[in-house]
Amino acid sequence: MALVPNEGPLFAEVEMSGDSFSSTVRATVVQASTIFYDTPATLDKAERLLAEATSYGAQLVVFPEAFIGGYPRGSTFGVSIGNRTDKGKEEFRKYHASAIDVPGPEVDRLAAMAGKYKVYLVMGVIERDGYTLYCTVLFFDSQGHYLGKHRKIMPTALERIIWGFGDGSTIPVYDTPIGKIGAAICWENRMPLLRTAMYAKGIEIYCAPTADSREVWQASMTHIALEGGCFVLSANQFCRRKDYPPPPDYVFSGSEEDLTPDSVVCAGGSVIISPSGAVLAGPNYDGEALISADLDLGEIVRAKFDFDVVGHYARPEVLSLTVKDHPVSAVSFTSTSSTSKAERSTK
């Protein structure tokens, strides 16, 4: 299967482990674009990519930020301070329609994919919760079970007008047979306290779906691998202007007149980095690709010997962190059972 015309299968590189006695996990990060405003077609594309990745032996596959639902790069949704345009409101309606409910039928399909291909799946989605959207990562095990989600706790810049804020209840690290897996999305990876919370949960395979294709992003990914003593898997989309609807239905604000259908609007840069800071695969800036490496889990122990940020290198008597990891809701109701009991007691 080739998603780039006239090119071979999208498999950029695989770094093979030479130690047959160490515990290894083959991981793949997907670098590909959403089919914008077409969630069913995007799910079909995700399955094709997943099938190809597992044909090369992938046990864990990580997709980019907002792969299902789309990253609305370049759009302003008609917002300026003190004003929202009718056109922008209609753009949000269409974007809301492309998002998915969690749980919901699309989540069921993703779970079925993970089970069908016997792979651990980390998928970036736009989650719809009523009329609020969240930038979310979903986790699935290789038996086809939905494990849970992480909602982005801090959208960046104009993202804050379209996405809600996650709370401390969705910062999971899942203990699986292939390692302890968690995720942070795009620039929340630059939040030291969030990273520290994940390190405290023992994260070993740190997934970093992103929309940042700048070269400086690589420095952040290397730092996290070294700081956390963990593998870092960063997946980004590779998109051209033609991967989005044409104007006037969709406009890249401030740059539309300079773009051609083949203009690259997100150059990827997906990468896999070891706990020692070594780049195992990528970064790839060439096009849609599957980027894979074998992760030697023994590297984690060797890295932690040097530096364990929440272990022997911590000073809790000087510096400590409290994480409020309970769900937060704008409205709370007393339970129906308590109300019924109170009503009975007055009779």
Side-chain angles (χ1 to χ4, degrees):
M1 185 272 295
L3 297 182
V4 178
N6 302 320
E7 295 185 11
L10 300 182
F11 195 71
E13 52 186 293
V14 181
E15 180 65 28
M16 305 291 287
S17 171
D19 183 356
S20 61
F21 296 101
S22 64
S23 177
T24 61
V25 174
R26 180 161 297 182
T28 296
V29 294
V30 172
Q31 181 165 288
S33 67
T34 301
I35 302 174
F36 212 80
Y37 289 152
D38 195 337
T39 297
T42 302
L43 285 164
D44 290 342
K45 182 174 182 177
E47 182 160 9
R48 293 194 301 271
L49 290 163
L50 198 62
E52 185 171 341
T54 56
S55 75
Y56 291 102
Q59 298 163 272
L60 168 66
V61 178
V62 181
F63 278 77
E65 176 180 11
F67 186 77
I68 306 297
Y71 187 83
R73 187 175 302 278
S75 179
T76 65
F77 289 88
V79 171
S80 59
I81 293 176
N83 186 57
R84 290 179 173 85
T85 67
D86 290 341
K87 183 177 184 296
K89 291 177 182 180
E90 175 60 15
E91 288 175 4
F92 183 77
R93 185 201 63 77
K94 291 191 290 185
Y95 191 53
H96 180 273
S98 298
I100 67 172
D101 296 326
V102 180
E106 293 86 0
V107 177
D108 293 342
R109 182 174 176 190
L110 290 167
M113 288 182 202
K116 177 180 179 180
Y117 297 103
K118 301 293 187 288
V119 66
Y120 285 84
L121 173 61
V122 178
M123 175 63 73
V125 308
I126 300 304
E127 176 191 358
R128 180 177 55 225
D129 187 354
Y131 299 100
T132 296
L133 303 181
Y134 295 91
C135 185
T136 298
V137 168
L138 306 181
F139 301 85
F140 303 87
D141 70 15
S142 60
Q143 303 304 305
H145 300 126
Y146 166 61
L147 299 177
K149 68 186 178 186
H150 164 60
R151 283 177 172 173
K152 192 173 188 176
I153 65 171
M154 177 52 70
T156 298
L158 208 61
E159 294 173 356
R160 296 172 197 169
I161 69 166
I162 54 168
W163 296 339
F165 293 61
D167 61 33
S169 68
T170 67
I171 310 175
V173 172
Y174 295 102
D175 192 354
T176 78
I178 64 169
K180 296 178 180 177
I181 302 171
I185 306 170
C186 207
W187 276 23
E188 67 177 2
N189 284 284
R190 297 170 62 175
M191 301 173 70
L193 300 185
L194 174 61
R195 298 198 307 268
T196 302
M198 295 171 68
Y199 301 150
K201 293 186 175 186
I203 192 166
E204 296 171 331
I205 301 176
Y206 185 116
C207 303
T210 188
D212 191 342
S213 62
R214 300 172 305 155
E215 289 187 14
V216 72
W217 178 253
Q218 304 301 318
S220 291
M221 297 299 94
T222 301
H223 174 76
I224 291 170
L226 287 168
E227 179 182 67
C230 53
F231 289 95
V232 173
L233 283 60
S234 183
N236 194 6
Q237 298 194 32
F238 183 94
C239 305
R240 299 184 186 275
R241 176 62 184 89
K242 63 187 177 184
D243 293 316
Y244 287 81
D249 292 336
Y250 193 102
V251 175
F252 277 70
S253 179
S255 63
E256 185 65 60
E257 61 277 6
D258 299 323
L259 300 175
T260 69
D262 287 323
S263 295
V264 175
V265 295
C266 183
S270 302
V271 69
I272 300 175
I273 301 175
S274 81
S276 68
V279 175
L280 300 180
N284 182 299
Y285 296 101
D286 298 328
E288 293 198 334
L290 301 178
I291 300 162
S292 300
D294 283 351
L295 314 183
D296 173 8
L297 300 185
E299 272 292 300
I300 297 169
V301 181
R302 292 189 284 272
K304 297 285 192 182
F305 178 64
D306 287 340
F307 185 84
D308 186 354
V309 67
V310 292
H312 62 76
Y313 225 89
R315 287 292 305 277
E317 75 279 16
V318 180
L319 301 167
S320 62
L321 171 66
T322 299
V323 179
K324 299 177 181 178
D325 59 355
H326 57 280
V328 177
S329 177
V331 180
S332 298
F333 296 93
T334 57
S335 69
T336 302
S337 59
S338 297
T339 302
S340 298
K341 183 177 180 181
E343 289 174 347
R344 287 197 300 269
S345 67
T346 61
K347 292 180 180 179

